Amino acid sequence: MAKVTPRSEDYSRWYTDVVQMADLADYAPVKGCMVVKPHGYALWENVQAGLDRRFKATGHVNAYFPLFIPISFIQKEAEHVEGFSPELAIVTIGGGKQLEEPLVVRPTSETVIGHMYAKWIQSYRDLPVLINQWGNVVRWEMRTRLFLRTTEFLWQEGHTAHATAEEAQEETLRMLDVYTEFAVEDAAIPVIPGRKSESEKFAGAVTSYTIEAMMGDYRALQSGTSHFLGQNFAKAFDIKFLDENNELQYVWTTSWGLSTRVVGAIVMVHGDDQGLVLPPKLAPIQVVVVPIWKNDSQRAVVLEAVTQVEKMLRDEVRLRVDDRDEYSPGWKFNEWELRGVPLRVEIGPRDVEQQQVTLARRDIPGREGKTAVPLSASVSEVQEMLLTIQADLYHRALKFREANTHTPRDYDEFQEAILNGFAYSWWCGDAGCEAQIKENTRATVRCIPLEQEPGKGKCIHCGEEANERAVFGRAY
Ligand SMILES: [Zn+2]
């Protein structure tokens, strides 16, 4: 079996190798597009399930809006059109005829949803509107990478409308919390929730919030965003309601999104030189059973035990039994390790004799990650082990981020720090200062963390007074 390029040799090759060899995705005939293969799609479906459950628990419902948007819609909000224009795919011919008005393939749906909300919302009784959509969007990208940046990608976009600014702001932060909880609990990815700087915010937003994560090569990945849109889209699309005093008011809107990018984050945060390492909560296959035998008489007894274990586990975990004859156990170990299955159950003649099974953890390679447990207790042992793996993956990633987050004392140290990690520094908030930092270090303000220690300091770059600290890093 071909091996993935070691991370230490070429991180970027390693990433592409893992994504392709673990069967997550492949390149499509159109440059910048990707085919999400069944293993990758099953992972995405588990991401969807984890989020969808949380969206519904916070009062949201799903709907679907069209892929095509009249180009005039995009032009209605000044910042929005400026931000998205370079990335638009535009349809000018339909059914063999030149269209009267060109159609944009949605890069995001604020405009068309705003148009519909203007129709649907009349009175304060119609508010809030809490709708989410699962779909795809197209942003014409020049440099693409599987999952991380593709011309077409899958995502969800939530769009809400509220009677007051306070309510809309609350909603924006509530959804940032939902993303944080999902990242931490399901994806085992530690994230820093924070505010985007003015230059990094969503085109058309008043304030953008993000969850930022550190990848295995110390670079940052924006893993989900939530935007307070103020009344910008309400005014552009005339979304008004009669309030309780019978006065006409513009609504306040939010939008929030998380995409297939998160699959790239899962690969980079947890993966190793053997391939993918999946957090049990999201793994399409949580446990693989691999029988081991040398001759036919062993085969019969081993398979009998395997059937027994299968019966016990199949309703408890997402299980695969790999009893293929044409591959050796060693080959199967490699294959399931490459595909990131969190836990392997090995059953050989010795295990049968001892009435036990051997559990092998994906996140701890070799002997160290193996334990024998009584066959009769395999359900509880397996379940407990999956919980342990889930928790350990999170803590390992958190330790890695903490070890590589620096607090430089001056700009020289800052420039050094940014080469291999995040820098957590006082920052003045000035866009010019930010641009200079970016020019000489390639690092950007990833976010201004919501959690701030009190006090004031001097900006790490220009020395001006600073009220907040920001996380700087090089980003994907
Ligand atoms: Zn400054």
Side-chain angles (χ1 to χ4, degrees):
M1 195 191 288
K3 276 205 166 287
V4 299
T5 307
R7 276 176 305 175
S8 55
E9 200 180 299
D10 183 341
Y11 193 84
S12 157
R13 276 267 316 272
W14 167 81
Y15 173 77
T16 311
D17 280 0
V18 171
V19 167
Q20 288 192 281
M21 291 165 70
D23 252 350
L24 295 179
D26 204 349
Y27 294 102
V30 173
K31 193 176 166 283
C33 292
M34 72 170 167
V35 175
V36 182
K37 295 181 78 176
H39 191 46
Y41 201 80
L43 178 56
W44 174 241
E45 284 179 320
N46 289 340
V47 169
Q48 286 186 303
L51 287 170
D52 206 65
R53 174 169 61 77
R54 291 176 170 93
F55 296 160
K56 286 173 180 158
T58 45
H60 301 86
V61 289
N62 288 331
Y64 188 77
F65 296 84
L67 179 66
F68 299 123
I69 301 176
I71 197 161
S72 57
F73 281 27
I74 303 282
Q75 292 158 346
K76 281 189 183 175
E77 212 287 330
E79 279 185 28
H80 195 63
V81 64
E82 197 191 314
F84 280 103
S85 280
E87 300 179 351
L88 295 181
I90 300 169
V91 180
T92 54
I93 296 174
K97 284 195 192 124
Q98 199 78 25
L99 299 176
E100 258 173 59
E101 179 177 356
L103 301 175
V104 164
V105 182
R106 65 180 166 213
T108 178
S109 303
E110 277 75 7
T111 57
V112 64
I113 293 178
H115 175 85
M116 298 313 297
Y117 282 7
K119 265 175 76 175
W120 297 344
I121 298 166
Q122 310 296 336
S123 126
Y124 69 93
R125 291 180 208 89
D126 300 326
L127 295 171
V129 176
L130 306 172
I131 289 181
N132 174 63
Q133 138 162 298
W134 288 98
N136 57 343
V137 284
V138 167
R139 295 176 186 177
W140 216 263
E141 298 281 1
M142 290 306 148
R143 298 186 53 195
T144 57
R145 305 194 61 192
L146 293 171
F147 288 113
L148 299 175
R149 197 172 290 279
T150 48
T151 296
E152 179 192 1
F153 58 87
L154 304 179
W155 78 341
Q156 60 68 215
E157 48 180 320
H159 295 270
T160 68
H162 306 263
T164 65
E166 294 68 39
E167 252 188 63
Q169 265 157 339
E170 261 174 47
E171 165 78 4
T172 311
L173 290 173
R174 180 180 306 120
M175 299 327 283
L176 190 73
D177 274 350
V178 164
Y179 289 153
T180 304
E181 191 194 286
F182 166 79
V184 169
E185 288 183 7
D186 291 14
I189 296 176
V191 292
I192 305 168
R195 202 175 79 237
K196 282 283 177 196
S197 67
E198 283 297 302
S199 71
E200 296 268 332
K201 74 179 190 193
F202 176 75
V206 173
T207 321
S208 285
Y209 298 90
T210 174
I211 49 170
E212 295 285 326
M214 183 186 282
M215 303 297 104
D217 62 348
Y218 318 115
R219 283 168 75 184
L221 189 83
Q222 176 179 300
S223 308
T225 49
S226 186
H227 314 290
F228 171 61
L229 303 173
Q231 293 180 315
N232 293 348
F233 286 88
K235 286 182 177 159
F237 288 89
D238 212 27
I239 318 171
K240 285 190 270 198
F241 71 102
L242 279 174
D243 70 11
E244 288 170 68
N245 305 316
N246 228 20
E247 276 172 48
L248 211 48
Q249 307 267 5
Y250 285 110
V251 299
W252 300 80
T253 64
T254 81
S255 68
W256 27 275
L258 186 146
S259 74
T260 34
R261 257 198 144 189
V262 78
V263 173
I266 291 165
V267 174
M268 288 195 284
V269 168
H270 302 305
D272 64 17
D273 287 348
Q274 263 61 56
L276 208 55
V277 178
L278 293 177
K281 283 206 183 151
L282 297 180
I285 301 169
Q286 294 172 309
V287 178
V288 63
V289 179
V290 179
I292 303 165
W293 65 75
K294 289 206 178 76
N295 52 51
D296 279 352
S297 66
Q298 285 181 349
R299 183 177 188 274
V301 268
V302 166
L303 283 185
E304 200 186 299
V306 166
T307 307
Q308 214 179 326
V309 170
E310 183 181 7
K311 273 190 196 142
M312 292 164 79
L313 286 176
R314 74 181 162 207
D315 295 330
E316 310 297 327
V317 295
R318 295 189 286 272
L319 184 74
R320 172 73 69 87
V321 174
D322 189 356
D323 53 5
R324 292 175 294 177
D325 273 332
E326 61 274 32
Y327 295 104
S328 72
W331 195 96
K332 292 175 186 175
F333 291 179
N334 285 335
E335 156 123 332
W336 297 113
E337 279 173 11
L338 177 59
R339 293 166 76 94
V341 176
L343 192 63
R344 180 172 73 230
V345 177
E346 302 173 6
I347 305 177
R350 238 203 63 178
D351 293 309
V352 178
E353 225 173 78
Q354 313 265 334
Q355 282 295 295
Q356 65 176 30
V357 297
T358 301
L359 306 184
R361 291 175 62 159
R362 173 62 184 92
D363 61 323
I364 306 177
R367 289 220 155 274
E368 236 179 291
K370 288 198 185 191
T371 22
V373 302
L375 192 145
S376 58
S378 43
V379 172
S380 58
E381 294 284 350
V382 160
Q383 280 170 332
E384 196 150 318
M385 190 68 89
L386 290 175
L387 290 175
T388 306
I389 295 169
Q390 181 80 28
D392 286 359
L393 284 178
Y394 177 76
H395 287 114
R396 192 172 70 179
L398 182 62
K399 248 171 82 183
F400 178 83
R401 189 191 75 197
E402 282 172 348
N404 295 294
T405 299
H406 315 286
T407 46
R409 279 167 299 180
D410 54 37
Y411 196 57
D412 280 340
E413 278 190 20
F414 178 90
Q415 285 173 289
E416 196 64 37
I418 227 70
L419 297 175
N420 53 8
F422 288 173
Y424 180 53
S425 301
W426 290 106
W427 179 54
C428 63
D430 179 69
C433 174
E434 183 183 12
Q436 280 174 10
I437 293 173
K438 187 175 178 180
E439 200 181 298
N440 38 67
T441 64
R442 289 194 289 134
T444 48
V445 173
R446 298 321 307 153
C447 72
I448 299 136
L450 295 184
E451 228 170 88
Q452 291 274 342
E453 294 145 42
K456 278 181 198 285
K458 296 245 176 289
C459 175
I460 192 72
H461 177 251
C462 68
E464 292 294 316
E465 193 179 81
N467 299 319
E468 291 175 308
R469 289 206 219 211
V471 172
F472 291 85
R474 291 179 176 173
Y476 274 96

